[in-house]
Amino acid sequence: MLKIEHLTKSYGEKKAVDDLSLHINKGEVCGFIGHNGAGKTTTIKAVCGILPFDSGEITIDGHSVKAEPLKTKSMTAYIPDNPELYDYMTGVKYLNFIADIFGMDNDTRKNKIERLAGRIGILDDLSSPIGAYSHGMKQKLAVVSAWMHSPSLIIMDEPFVGLDPTASFTLKELMREFCNDGGAIFFSTHVLEVAEKLCDSIAIIKGGRLIRYGDTDVVRGDESLESVFLELEADRG
């Protein structure tokens, strides 16, 4: 579903991402782990088509992010680490705006909004302006908007930040269901316990380079994911 080949992105003399390659299959949840400044967000924004990159290729279900930007954007959903939503809109107007962008019919959007907003615990707040939402409520609204148009690939940057325990549990359920239905998810997180339990594969990045990648059980070995991550950080200086 997602193929990143030799991705490189520099800011001046600094390589934020350095020759990174990974593949994520349909049905797979892939966790992206690294310290602040390791290159996670740069990689994610390149995959979404938000950030141009210097070299390499990114394809989504065989379609090039560079050559077919509208096609790949129509197939993906992206939740940034700090969702910037339209504060003057109500929650329901924002979701209908998203539905309009993807050409969803009235019955489909209504059913999706009621089902998803009900599950994540924000249905009763949709008539309120987004400007009055807490960070956690905005995060919930962003989750609903990401699932609205039934994308093939969902990309998330620290999606659990600000979510209460019930909403976090629901998001994990939605992620697993989405991949069981043939989708794929690529997300960054600092919550290593979540990654260990939820992810089919793990990619660990440091200084822009991929230092460990594979099935979660293989990456973890006989240790906890936290132990592996800390050992890799120490070994690489």
Side-chain angles (χ1 to χ4, degrees), residues 134-201:
S134 66
H135 176 78
M137 291 167 67
K138 288 181 178 180
Q139 194 76 2
K140 291 178 183 180
L141 187 64
V143 168
V144 175
S145 69
W147 261 257
M148 280 282 289
H149 66 286
S150 300
S152 300
L153 173 68
I154 295 177
I155 304 154
M156 299 182 286
D157 199 353
E158 298 290 346
F160 295 98
V161 173
L163 291 182
D164 56 71
T166 300
S168 293
F169 179 79
T170 300
L171 176 56
K172 285 181 271 188
E173 284 188 327
L174 289 170
M175 291 168 69
R176 193 71 266 168
E177 291 166 11
F178 177 79
C179 290
N180 288 344
D181 289 337
I185 290 177
F186 182 45
F187 79 106
S188 72
T189 183
H190 285 110
V191 187
L192 299 184
E193 294 86 354
V194 169
E196 189 167 12
K197 294 176 181 177
L198 182 63
C199 295
D200 303 298
S201 61

Side-chain angles (χ1 to χ4, degrees), residues 204-218:
I204 301 176
I205 186 173
K206 182 176 183 182
R209 296 189 67 86
L210 202 62
I211 58 174
R212 183 71 63 88
Y213 172 58
D215 292 346
T216 301
D217 289 342
V218 174

Side-chain angles (χ1 to χ4, degrees), residues 40-79:
K40 301 188 303 297
T41 297
T42 297
T43 301
I44 284 172
K45 287 184 175 180
V47 170
C48 294
I50 297 171
L51 191 67
F53 46 94
D54 302 328
S55 61
E57 180 63 279
I58 301 172
T59 58
I60 297 171
D61 204 16
H63 299 277
S64 169
V65 168
K66 275 187 176 180
E68 303 173 85
L70 289 179
K71 176 65 176 178
T72 54
K73 284 181 173 69
S74 73
M75 300 167 63
T76 61
Y78 168 52
I79 301 178

